[in-house]
Coordinates of all heavy atoms in Angstrom, one line a residue:
T134 N 6.4 10.6 -11.8 CA 7.5 10.0 -12.4 C 7.2 8.9 -13.3 O 8.0 8.6 -14.2 CB 8.5 9.5 -11.3 OG1 7.9 8.6 -10.5 CG2 9.0 10.7 -10.5
A135 N 6.1 8.2 -13.2 CA 5.8 7.0 -14.0 C 5.2 7.4 -15.3 O 5.2 6.6 -16.2 CB 4.9 6.1 -13.2
V136 N 4.8 8.6 -15.5 CA 4.1 9.0 -16.7 C 4.9 10.2 -17.3 O 5.0 11.3 -16.7 CB 2.7 9.5 -16.5 CG1 2.0 9.9 -17.8 CG2 1.9 8.3 -15.8
E137 N 5.5 10.0 -18.5 CA 6.2 11.1 -19.2 C 5.3 12.2 -19.5 O 4.2 12.0 -19.9 CB 6.9 10.5 -20.4 CG 7.8 11.6 -21.0 CD 8.7 11.0 -22.1 OE1 8.9 9.8 -22.2 OE2 9.2 11.8 -22.9
G138 N 5.8 13.4 -19.3 CA 5.0 14.6 -19.6 C 4.1 15.0 -18.5 O 3.2 16.0 -18.7
A139 N 4.2 14.4 -17.3 CA 3.3 14.9 -16.2 C 3.7 16.3 -15.7 O 4.9 16.6 -15.6 CB 3.5 13.9 -15.0
L140 N 2.7 17.1 -15.6 CA 2.9 18.5 -15.2 C 2.5 18.7 -13.7 O 3.0 19.6 -13.1 CB 2.2 19.5 -16.1 CG 2.5 19.4 -17.6 CD1 1.6 20.3 -18.4 CD2 4.0 19.8 -17.8
G141 N 1.5 18.0 -13.3 CA 1.1 18.1 -11.9 C 0.1 17.0 -11.5 O -0.5 16.4 -12.4
A142 N 0.1 16.7 -10.2 CA -0.7 15.6 -9.7 C -1.3 16.0 -8.4 O -0.7 16.8 -7.6 CB 0.1 14.4 -9.6
A143 N -2.5 15.5 -8.1 CA -3.2 15.7 -6.8 C -4.0 14.5 -6.4 O -4.5 13.8 -7.2 CB -4.0 17.0 -6.9
V144 N -4.1 14.4 -5.1 CA -5.1 13.4 -4.5 C -6.1 14.3 -3.8 O -5.8 15.2 -3.0 CB -4.4 12.5 -3.5 CG1 -5.5 11.6 -2.9 CG2 -3.3 11.6 -4.2
V145 N -7.4 14.1 -4.2 CA -8.4 15.1 -3.8 C -9.6 14.3 -3.1 O -10.0 13.3 -3.6 CB -8.9 15.9 -5.0 CG1 -9.9 16.9 -4.6 CG2 -7.8 16.5 -5.8
D146 N -10.1 15.0 -2.1 CA -11.4 14.5 -1.4 C -12.5 15.3 -2.1 O -12.7 16.5 -2.0 CB -11.3 14.9 0.0 CG -12.6 14.5 0.8 OD1 -13.6 14.2 0.2 OD2 -12.6 14.6 2.0
Y147 N -13.4 14.5 -2.9 CA -14.4 15.2 -3.6 C -15.6 15.5 -2.8 O -16.6 16.1 -3.3 CB -14.7 14.6 -5.0 CG -15.4 13.2 -5.0 CD1 -16.7 13.1 -4.8 CD2 -14.6 12.1 -5.3 CE1 -17.3 11.8 -4.8 CE2 -15.2 10.9 -5.3 CZ -16.6 10.7 -5.1 OH -17.2 9.5 -5.1
T148 N -15.7 15.1 -1.6 CA -16.8 15.5 -0.7 C -16.6 16.9 -0.2 O -17.5 17.7 -0.1 CB -17.0 14.5 0.5 OG1 -15.8 14.5 1.2 CG2 -17.4 13.1 0.0
S149 N -15.3 17.3 -0.1 CA -15.0 18.6 0.4 C -14.4 19.5 -0.7 O -14.4 20.7 -0.5 CB -14.0 18.6 1.6 OG -12.8 18.1 1.2
G150 N -13.8 18.9 -1.7 CA -13.1 19.7 -2.7 C -11.6 20.0 -2.3 O -10.9 20.7 -3.0
M151 N -11.2 19.5 -1.2 CA -9.8 19.8 -0.7 C -8.8 18.8 -1.2 O -9.1 17.6 -1.3 CB -9.8 19.7 0.8 CG -10.7 20.7 1.5 SD -10.2 22.4 1.3 CE -8.7 22.4 2.2
A152 N -7.7 19.3 -1.6 CA -6.5 18.5 -2.0 C -5.9 17.9 -0.8 O -5.5 18.7 0.1 CB -5.6 19.2 -2.9
L153 N -5.7 16.6 -0.7 CA -5.0 16.0 0.4 C -3.5 16.1 0.2 O -2.7 16.0 1.1 CB -5.4 14.5 0.5 CG -6.9 14.2 0.8 CD1 -7.1 12.8 0.9 CD2 -7.4 15.0 2.0
G154 N -3.1 16.3 -1.1 CA -1.7 16.4 -1.4 C -1.6 16.8 -2.9 O -2.4 16.5 -3.7
T155 N -0.5 17.6 -3.2 CA -0.3 18.0 -4.6 C 1.2 17.9 -4.9 O 2.0 18.0 -3.9 CB -0.7 19.4 -4.9 OG1 0.0 20.3 -4.1 CG2 -2.2 19.6 -4.7
L156 N 1.6 17.7 -6.1 CA 3.0 17.7 -6.5 C 3.0 18.3 -8.0 O 2.2 17.9 -8.8 CB 3.5 16.3 -6.5 CG 5.0 16.1 -6.7 CD1 5.8 16.9 -5.6 CD2 5.4 14.7 -6.7
G157 N 3.9 19.2 -8.2 CA 4.1 19.8 -9.5 C 3.2 21.0 -9.6 O 3.0 21.7 -8.6
G158 N 2.7 21.3 -10.8 CA 1.9 22.5 -11.0 C 2.8 23.7 -11.2 O 3.9 23.6 -11.7
G159 N 2.3 24.9 -10.9 CA 3.1 26.1 -11.1 C 2.2 27.3 -11.1 O 1.0 27.2 -10.9
K160 N 2.7 28.4 -11.6 CA 1.9 29.7 -11.6 C 0.7 29.5 -12.6 O -0.3 30.2 -12.4 CB 2.8 30.9 -11.9 CG 3.4 30.9 -13.3 CD 4.1 32.2 -13.5 CE 4.7 32.3 -14.9 NZ 3.8 32.6 -15.9
D161 N 0.9 28.8 -13.7 CA -0.1 28.6 -14.7 C -1.0 27.4 -14.4 O -2.0 27.1 -15.1 CB 0.4 28.4 -16.1 CG 1.1 29.7 -16.5 OD1 0.7 30.8 -16.1 OD2 2.1 29.6 -17.3
L162 N -0.7 26.6 -13.3 CA -1.4 25.4 -13.0 C -1.5 25.3 -11.5 O -0.7 24.7 -10.8 CB -0.8 24.2 -13.6 CG -1.5 22.8 -13.3 CD1 -2.9 22.8 -13.8 CD2 -0.7 21.7 -13.9
D163 N -2.5 26.0 -10.9 CA -2.8 26.0 -9.5 C -3.6 24.7 -9.1 O -4.8 24.6 -9.4 CB -3.5 27.2 -9.0 CG -3.7 27.3 -7.5 OD1 -3.8 26.3 -6.8 OD2 -3.6 28.4 -7.0
L164 N -2.9 23.7 -8.6 CA -3.6 22.4 -8.4 C -4.6 22.5 -7.3 O -5.6 21.7 -7.3 CB -2.5 21.4 -8.0 CG -1.6 21.0 -9.2 CD1 -0.4 20.2 -8.7 CD2 -2.3 20.3 -10.3
T165 N -4.5 23.4 -6.4 CA -5.6 23.6 -5.3 C -6.9 24.0 -6.0 O -8.0 23.5 -5.7 CB -5.1 24.5 -4.2 OG1 -3.9 24.1 -3.7 CG2 -6.1 24.6 -3.1
I166 N -6.8 25.0 -6.8 CA -8.0 25.5 -7.6 C -8.5 24.4 -8.5 O -9.7 24.2 -8.6 CB -7.7 26.8 -8.3 CG1 -7.4 27.9 -7.4 CG2 -8.8 27.2 -9.3 CD1 -6.9 29.2 -8.0
A167 N -7.6 23.7 -9.2 CA -8.0 22.6 -10.1 C -8.8 21.5 -9.3 O -9.7 21.0 -9.8 CB -6.8 22.1 -10.8
A168 N -8.3 21.2 -8.1 CA -8.9 20.2 -7.3 C -10.3 20.6 -7.0 O -11.3 19.7 -7.1 CB -8.1 20.0 -6.0
A169 N -10.5 21.8 -6.5 CA -11.9 22.2 -6.2 C -12.8 22.2 -7.4 O -13.9 21.8 -7.4 CB -11.8 23.6 -5.6
G170 N -12.3 22.7 -8.5 CA -13.1 22.8 -9.8 C -13.4 21.4 -10.3 O -14.6 21.2 -10.8
N171 N -12.5 20.5 -10.2 CA -12.8 19.1 -10.7 C -13.7 18.4 -9.8 O -14.4 17.4 -10.2 CB -11.5 18.4 -11.0 CG -10.8 18.9 -12.3 OD1 -11.4 19.0 -13.3 ND2 -9.5 19.3 -12.2
T172 N -13.8 18.8 -8.6 CA -14.8 18.2 -7.7 C -16.2 18.5 -8.2 O -17.1 17.6 -8.3 CB -14.7 18.8 -6.3 OG1 -13.4 18.4 -5.7 CG2 -15.8 18.4 -5.3
D173 N -16.4 19.7 -8.8 CA -17.7 20.0 -9.4 C -18.0 19.2 -10.6 O -19.1 18.8 -10.9 CB -17.7 21.5 -9.7 CG -17.7 22.4 -8.5 OD1 -18.1 22.0 -7.4 OD2 -17.3 23.6 -8.7
V174 N -16.9 18.9 -11.4 CA -17.0 18.0 -12.6 C -17.6 16.7 -12.2 O -18.5 16.1 -12.8 CB -15.7 17.9 -13.3 CG1 -15.8 16.9 -14.4 CG2 -15.3 19.3 -13.9
I175 N -17.0 16.1 -11.1 CA -17.4 14.7 -10.7 C -18.8 14.8 -10.2 O -19.6 13.9 -10.5 CB -16.4 14.2 -9.6 CG1 -15.0 13.9 -10.3 CG2 -16.9 13.0 -8.9 CD1 -13.9 13.6 -9.3
R176 N -19.1 15.7 -9.3 CA -20.5 15.8 -8.8 C -21.5 15.9 -9.9 O -22.6 15.3 -9.9 CB -20.6 17.0 -7.8 CG -19.8 16.8 -6.5 CD -19.9 18.0 -5.7 NE -19.2 17.9 -4.5 CZ -18.8 18.9 -3.7 NH1 -19.1 20.1 -4.1 NH2 -18.1 18.7 -2.6
A177 N -21.2 16.7 -10.9 CA -22.1 16.9 -12.0 C -22.3 15.6 -12.8 O -23.4 15.3 -13.2 CB -21.6 18.0 -13.0
K178 N -21.2 14.9 -13.0 CA -21.3 13.6 -13.7 C -22.1 12.6 -13.0 O -22.9 11.9 -13.5 CB -19.9 13.1 -14.1 CG -19.9 11.9 -15.0 CD -20.7 12.2 -16.3 CE -20.9 10.9 -17.1 NZ -21.8 11.2 -18.3
V179 N -21.8 12.5 -11.7 CA -22.6 11.6 -10.8 C -24.1 11.9 -10.8 O -24.9 11.0 -11.0 CB -22.0 11.6 -9.4 CG1 -23.0 10.8 -8.4 CG2 -20.6 10.9 -9.3
R180 N -24.4 13.2 -10.7 CA -25.8 13.6 -10.7 C -26.5 13.3 -12.1 O -27.6 12.8 -12.1 CB -25.8 15.1 -10.5 CG -27.2 15.7 -10.1 CD -27.1 17.1 -9.6 NE -26.2 18.0 -10.3 CZ -25.0 18.5 -9.9 NH1 -24.6 18.1 -8.7 NH2 -24.3 19.3 -10.6
T181 N -25.7 13.5 -13.2 CA -26.3 13.2 -14.5 C -26.5 11.7 -14.7 O -27.5 11.3 -15.2 CB -25.3 13.7 -15.6 OG1 -25.2 15.1 -15.4 CG2 -25.8 13.4 -17.0
M182 N -25.6 10.9 -14.2 CA -25.7 9.4 -14.3 C -27.0 9.0 -13.5 O -27.7 8.1 -13.9 CB -24.5 8.7 -13.7 CG -23.3 8.8 -14.7 SD -21.8 8.1 -14.0 CE -22.3 6.3 -13.9

Side-chain angles (χ1 to χ4, degrees):
T134 59
V136 180
E137 187 170 340
L140 301 173
V144 176
V145 184
D146 175 349
Y147 68 81
T148 57
S149 68
M151 299 292 293
L153 302 180
T155 64
L156 190 60
K160 67 177 181 74
D161 294 330
L162 179 59
D163 185 325
L164 292 169
T165 304
I166 292 172
N171 284 309
T172 295
D173 292 337
V174 171
I175 291 172
R176 289 178 184 159
K178 186 58 188 171
V179 168
R180 198 169 39 253
T181 301
M182 287 176 64

